[in-house]
Amino acid sequence: MAAFYNWYRTLLRHPKYGWLIIIASFVYLFSPIDIAPDLIPVIGQLDDITVMMILASEVTQIVIEHLKSKKSRADIPETTVDVKAEAL
């Protein structure tokens, strides 16, 4: 389970594959085809709940990190340098 979590988390945080993994996760959650069929009482829902919880926690962390970096960039004042240029 830890290997799956690490693999999933790494793909979610990859800039190229992040959105693809999020969309694929939603397709998996709403698809009738699962690793463990939903007809099995407990195990059938366990895989869906696991994917949903990991997706929610990782997307939340990504959004929080993005907002923190955006705020830290806003706190840094933009400096400009005035230069007089003379033509020779």
Side-chain angles (χ1 to χ4, degrees):
M1 187 66 150
F4 172 74
Y5 176 72
N6 290 332
W7 171 78
Y8 188 79
R9 184 175 186 210
T10 303
L11 281 178
L12 264 178
R13 292 179 179 267
H14 192 279
K16 188 175 181 180
Y17 303 119
W19 285 108
L20 181 65
I21 296 300
I22 291 171
I23 292 169
S25 297
F26 278 114
V27 168
Y28 178 78
L29 289 173
F30 294 109
S31 172
I33 301 170
D34 286 337
I35 293 173
D38 292 336
L39 297 174
I40 302 171
V42 175
I43 299 171
Q45 285 79 27
L46 190 61
D47 67 330
D48 292 337
I49 291 170
T50 303
V51 170
M52 187 171 35
M53 295 303 290
I54 295 173
L55 178 66
S57 67
E58 289 303 316
V59 168
T60 303
Q61 284 291 63
I62 291 170
V63 169
I64 289 171
E65 289 172 4
H66 177 72
L67 291 175
K68 282 183 180 178
S69 69
K70 194 173 183 179
K71 183 181 178 199
S72 68
R73 281 185 273 150
D75 290 343
I76 300 172
E78 187 175 319
T79 59
T80 58
V81 178
D82 292 330
V83 178
K84 281 189 175 182
E86 294 182 13
L88 296 175

